[in-house]
Structure formats: C-alpha cells, structure tokens
Amino acid sequence: MDPAAVSPTAASIGLRQLLMVLGDSLVEVQAAPAGLDVEIRGVSLLDPEDPPTAQPGELVLVIGARGRAAFPALRAAGRDGAAAVVVKLDGPGQAAALTETAAEAGVALLSLRSEARWEQVNALARAALDDAPPGDPGHGAGEGDLFALAQTTAILTSGIVSIEDAANRMLAYSRTTDSDEADDLRRRSILGWQGPEGYLAKLREWGVFQHLHSSDEVIGIDSHPELGIRRRLAVAIRSGDRQLGTIWVQEGSIPLSERSRQALLGAARVAALHLVRRRRELSDDVTLTRTLLAGLLEGSTGPQPLATHLGFDATRPAAVLGFSYGATEAYETPEGVAAPELTHTEVTNLVSVHIAARHRSALVTQVDSRIYVLLPQLPRGIDTDTLRGWTQEITDAARRHLGLPLRGSVGCLVPGLRDVPESRREADRILDAMVSVGVTVAVAALPDIQAEVLVSEMLTLLSAHPEIRDPRLTALVSHDSRHQGRLAETLLTYLNSLGDIRAAAAQLHVHPNTLRYRLRRTEELTGLDLSRPDQRLLAMLQLRLPPTS
C-alpha cells in the first residue's frame, strides 16, 4: 500500500453518504455486514504487489486484483478495521464468493462498474472527505459540497445536472431515480470521468464552448436523438473574466421547469465560490467574508471591513432578508401531508441559487436556526415590493421543490451598510411574530403585519416579567389546569369576538347560556370586572401567553 495514497484529512463521512456521492453509476453494494452508517476516515490504494494491510476507517481501493486475488485484501481490511473495500468483478460467480468473505471479515464490499476508472472513484471519495466537517460523519455533504449544489439545481430545474471543470472533467452530478432518464452523453461522461471526445467535438462544432468561454448567459442545446443527446442547458462558472467550469442540465422524462435558466444562472454564481475554495486560492477570504458578515449582521463589526474586503460601496442602499422553517412541521401539499427532514445545507443552497440570480452581490449565511441574505449596494430606486417578490420566489420554490414551509421576512431598506443591523433586527421581529402569533402568510415586511409584530413583542414582555401580569388571570389558568376547565379559553374567545355572545358560543360549540354561565363563574372565581375596558384589554393579552408561562 502506498502511504502517500492515504487521505490526510481529519474529516469523516458515513458510508451511506459516500454511496450517495458516488452513485450507482459507479459502484454497487455487495455486502455491508456492519450496516451503511460505518465511518470512513480516509482513502487508500492497494496495489497487487503491496502487502495486504489497511488502516482503521479506510476505504480501500483494491486495484488490479479480481476474483480470488482480492480475498487477502478483504481479510486484511477486516482484520485491520477498514470501513470498506472496493473491487472490480469479472462475473456474477465472483460476487457471491467475495460477498461471503466480506461478511466473514466484517467489512463492507463495494464493486466498481467495469467501465469506470479507479482514479475517478478515488478523486470523488477524497473530494467528499475534503468537504465533510471534521468529526462529523453524518453530514458528508458540507457547506461547500458541489454534489449538494448539483442536487439542489436538479430539483429547481426538474433536470439532471452535471458540474464540470474548465477541462470538461466531471466534478459532481445529481442523483437520478431512473437510469433511463440519463442520455448516452451523461452516462459516458460519468463512467469515463470526462466527456467523450466525439461528443465534445460536436459541441465545439456547434459553437457551444465558444459561447461559454465568452458569455455569462445560459445557452440551450437542442436534442439530437441520432447522437443520443437530449435537450440541454449550459452556463459557464466564472470568477471575474476566467471560466472555472460549466454546469449542464439535461432534460429527463419531464420538461425542464419554466425558471430553469434563472436557477442555472444563480447556481453558476454559487458554484464559482465552491470552485475557488476547491482551488484553495481564496479559502482564507471565504472564512474572512463569513466572519465579517456575521459581525455586521450582529452589529459587532462596522461596515468598512466587509466593504473593503469585497469592494462594496458602503453608501448604497442595503437590506436583509430572513428565512426560518420548522424541520419537523407537518403541512398540506398537493400530494398529501408531508413532514420534511431537511438540512440547513439544502435550504441554504436553494436560497443562494435563487438570490444569486436576482442580485449578484448577495451574501448568504446561517446564524443559529435562521438563514440571512445580505443585499448590499442595491439600486437606489428599488422598493420593498421588489424585495418581497424575490423572497416570495424563494419560499414558493422551497414549497414546490423541497416540500418545505419556509417563512421569509423582508427587513427594512437602509441607506447603507452601516444600518444593516437595523434591517436584520426588523427581519427577526417579523419572523418572531410569524411563529408566536400564528401569522399565516409565508412572506411579510413590517407594514404587512405591524400589529401582529407589536402584539408578539408585548407578549414577550409579559413572559419575561411576571410582575406586570394580573395574578387573577394567572390563577384562572391554574384553576383550569387543575380542574380540566375551559374558563380561560371561553373568556379569551369572548373577548376576541368583541363581546358577541352568539359568535363566541358558536366558535366554542356551546349554547349561549353555557357561555354566559362560564363568564359569570370566571368573575366569581377571580374578582374580574369584565365591564371595565382596562381589565378586558389586559386579559386579551395575558391569556394569549403559552400555557407554560
């Protein structure tokens, strides 16, 4: 075994996540005696001339040994605690014998497709490890993972996505559920690691590469059934004047979505950041940008460091958009009830792709459970309606493509970066109110729900300061809790109905006389005088507090 071939990364990735990265176009699971959640911490190449050894947690690529010749490598991998072994098979008979040996050794066995190349699976596995957060095998697809971006772009376009570098070598691709959807060009590109020369020559002949080299615009390529090529869209990934690569979207069994070109444009701008980071040219700058952005949003750092670092005009208008979602919230979709379990990475990718298509300078970051978009150097004539429209596009896309009830808030437009913390605070106030008082709209600016925001903040004040609550109302809630009563609920419904007995009774599904009795009983127990406006006002507020307050 070549010691230099072992990945030096301290990160790790679960076997299940690695299989999602590699895809069934490259490998197939033959055995997984310890399950698919085993942790992979490195990659090594084992040549037939090397002694069969491995390191704990390694993915061992057994090059040049097929059939029974791979048995020693399998046994050694099990003995040394390797996570998985990859081999090539000559026939089905080999699979059964190798699977049995892998099960006995207690190590996972993957078979590499006969057409695939070893350097391809080696590079993809190392890239997945490089993108994985250190010590976090459950993620595998980190913030900078091109595979996650490819999958997000596929969802937004309803197509099949490939991301290539400037030399047309495959860097990442989306997963497909139906192999028939992928045309011959895509299959051969994935299996051969690079676009087949015959197809590349056709693309050069049609002027596709010339367009990509000189333009930021999305280009369409018609289907050519005689060549095994379906309809495609393509866009260059650029950093300044330099082309870093290309994103290709192939049409599958359903037409590409109406907004595919816009989504592809945004994806290219996000991909540029990933490719720059992969080249390690500006990795320190990326970290610095995140630090300065977080400091500006929180108000702990002034605007000048970020403006200088990125070349922004700090005196032009800016705004902050906020997004939040409940990871386990159930809701109605056209297909029925769904309860999505999505990672922040998936949502951040969707937000990043959409907003990058609308505003080139947009910056996206996560703070705790929320996602924020800073929109610097906005046009001076822009208005809140435009920003609300951008935000609505993102929440609509999240519901349509990810099945996610994303909430969006539009912070106030501010004259420059110095006032960005004010816009972020307003975005937070709106999101807080959406949760606490049950606002039904998905997107809002402050003028849309100003009353709800103020009520939410008054409830927060009451929650934090028990001394300003009416103890009689506190006692009423406690009485209901002890006796399984509904007096507090009845009182609040009556007050919300503006004292209309019949309307309140209908809402509670009781007779009006029952409601009158409950109100008298409430006054007797607490000493409240519901004829007094101030007591009614305080009751309306305090009874809206959560039961645990």
Side-chain angles (χ1 to χ4, degrees):
M1 179 180 296
D2 178 7
V6 179
S7 174
T9 178
S12 61
I13 183 174
L15 177 58
R16 185 189 310 275
Q17 190 67 35
L18 180 64
L19 290 171
M20 293 173 65
V21 169
L22 297 178
D24 58 9
S25 297
L26 286 179
V27 297
E28 183 177 357
V29 179
Q30 299 294 337
L36 297 181
D37 294 321
V38 295
E39 181 180 348
I40 296 172
R41 297 193 293 272
V43 182
S44 65
L45 309 178
L46 183 62
D47 190 90
E49 303 298 322
D50 294 335
T53 60
Q55 297 294 322
E58 278 185 346
L59 175 72
V60 182
L61 310 182
V62 183
I63 299 173
R66 301 192 183 207
R68 293 187 176 278
F71 285 175
L74 271 173
R75 295 189 182 103
R79 177 197 67 212
D80 297 336
V85 174
V86 185
V87 301
K88 278 195 174 182
L89 304 177
D90 281 335
Q94 290 184 359
L98 286 168
T99 298
E100 183 178 349
T101 302
E104 293 174 355
V107 65
L109 173 64
L110 312 180
S111 60
L112 187 65
R113 302 289 185 185
S114 58
E115 311 96 323
R117 294 163 58 181
W118 283 108
E119 59 264 36
Q120 180 183 7
V121 70
N122 180 37
L124 289 175
R126 290 175 185 276
L129 275 167
D130 287 342
D131 284 328
D136 189 1
H139 283 74
E143 243 181 345
D145 187 21
L146 284 175
F147 284 90
L149 178 62
Q151 193 64 25
T152 298
T153 308
I155 291 170
L156 295 177
T157 61
S158 300
I160 305 171
V161 176
S162 302
I163 302 177
E164 299 178 355
D165 66 11
N168 303 114
R169 291 172 298 203
M170 186 76 70
L171 297 175
Y173 48 86
S174 62
R175 301 183 298 276
T176 58
T177 56
D178 184 353
S179 59
D180 291 337
E181 289 190 356
D183 63 14
D184 190 42
L185 172 54
R186 175 181 168 86
R187 283 192 292 270
R188 292 179 60 181
S189 297
I190 291 175
L191 291 171
W193 183 239
Q194 187 174 20
E197 182 52 41
Y199 291 109
L200 298 180
K202 283 293 184 183
L203 294 175
R204 282 192 287 267
E205 178 184 329
W206 298 332
V208 173
F209 290 129
Q210 181 179 357
H211 172 93
L212 293 171
H213 182 71
S214 59
S215 173
D216 292 339
E217 298 300 316
V218 176
I219 184 173
I221 301 101
D222 293 334
S223 64
H224 291 269
E226 73 282 5
L227 299 174
I229 298 179
R230 294 187 179 183
R231 179 191 171 213
R232 271 174 171 70
L233 298 177
V235 67
I237 305 169
R238 314 185 76 84
S239 177
D241 295 331
R242 181 176 49 163
Q243 183 181 354
L244 302 178
T246 308
I247 302 182
W248 302 86
V249 179
Q250 177 218 304
E251 190 170 69
S253 58
I254 61 174
L256 297 177
S257 64
E258 293 181 2
R259 297 186 178 179
S260 289
R261 289 177 178 266
Q262 179 181 324
L264 196 54
L265 184 63
R269 294 172 182 173
V270 175
L273 300 177
H274 294 330
L275 291 186
V276 165
R277 196 194 76 165
R278 279 175 175 260
R279 292 180 175 212
R280 306 298 189 224
E281 295 174 353
L282 295 175
S283 59
D284 290 341
D285 285 350
V286 172
T287 301
L288 179 58
T289 298
R290 290 173 181 160
T291 301
L292 295 176
L293 175 57
L296 179 61
L297 290 172
E298 294 169 359
S300 59
T301 303
Q304 205 54 49
L306 183 66
T308 302
H309 176 56
L310 297 178
F312 289 163
D313 183 349
T315 64
R316 286 177 58 182
V320 174
L321 310 180
F323 296 92
S324 69
Y325 66 95
T328 59
E329 181 176 347
Y331 56 94
E332 291 291 334
T333 69
E335 295 77 25
V337 176
E341 296 178 358
L342 301 174
T343 67
H344 274 301
T345 299
E346 292 172 283
V347 184
T348 302
N349 276 337
L350 183 143
V351 173
S352 298
V353 166
H354 270 271
I355 202 62
R358 287 297 187 181
H359 189 59
R360 181 179 296 273
S361 301
L363 297 175
V364 181
T365 192
Q366 297 172 213
V367 179
D368 298 326
S369 61
R370 288 180 177 174
I371 298 168
Y372 296 95
V373 176
L374 171 62
L375 300 171
Q377 46 190 22
L378 288 166
R380 297 196 183 277
I382 201 166
D383 56 21
T384 299
D385 286 342
T386 301
L387 301 186
R388 189 189 289 106
W390 293 358
T391 309
Q392 187 71 56
E393 286 179 4
I394 292 171
T395 59
D396 288 347
R399 179 174 288 276
R400 184 169 59 250
H401 297 298
L402 300 181
L404 178 71
L406 193 66
R407 304 181 189 93
S409 63
V410 181
C412 56
L413 277 160
V414 293
L417 291 183
R418 183 174 301 279
D419 301 303
V420 159
E422 177 187 349
S423 185
R424 186 261 175 106
R425 283 193 295 271
E426 185 164 299
D428 277 337
R429 293 176 66 196
I430 297 166
L431 290 177
D432 290 342
M434 285 179 159
V435 175
S436 65
V437 299
V439 175
T440 57
V441 296
V443 172
L446 185 59
D448 303 328
I449 58 169
Q450 190 157 28
E452 290 86 346
V453 168
L454 294 175
V455 168
S456 170
E457 291 171 347
M458 284 188 280
L459 293 178
T460 300
L461 183 66
L462 282 173
S463 295
H465 295 278
E467 70 276 8
I468 62 175
R469 301 184 210 168
D470 190 327
R472 295 172 296 182
L473 295 167
T474 303
L476 180 65
V477 173
S478 297
H479 178 274
D480 278 350
S481 178
R482 291 193 308 271
H483 298 88
Q484 298 182 332
R486 299 181 62 189
L487 297 181
E489 177 192 8
T490 299
L491 175 56
L492 181 58
T493 304
Y494 167 75
L495 295 173
N496 287 340
S497 301
L498 301 179
D500 186 327
I501 292 287
R502 293 193 175 277
Q507 189 172 337
L508 292 169
H509 305 291
V510 298
H511 192 277
N513 287 339
T514 301
L515 189 138
R516 292 187 181 94
Y517 167 77
R518 289 181 183 177
L519 293 178
R520 288 197 301 271
R521 180 66 176 152
T522 296
E523 289 183 312
E524 292 170 359
L525 282 173
T526 62
L528 288 169
D529 183 356
L530 297 181
S531 67
R532 294 178 55 180
D534 53 348
Q535 293 192 20
R536 294 198 303 270
L537 175 61
L538 184 58
M540 287 185 71
L541 284 173
Q542 189 169 325
L543 291 178
R544 292 191 184 194
L545 292 174
T548 55
S549 296

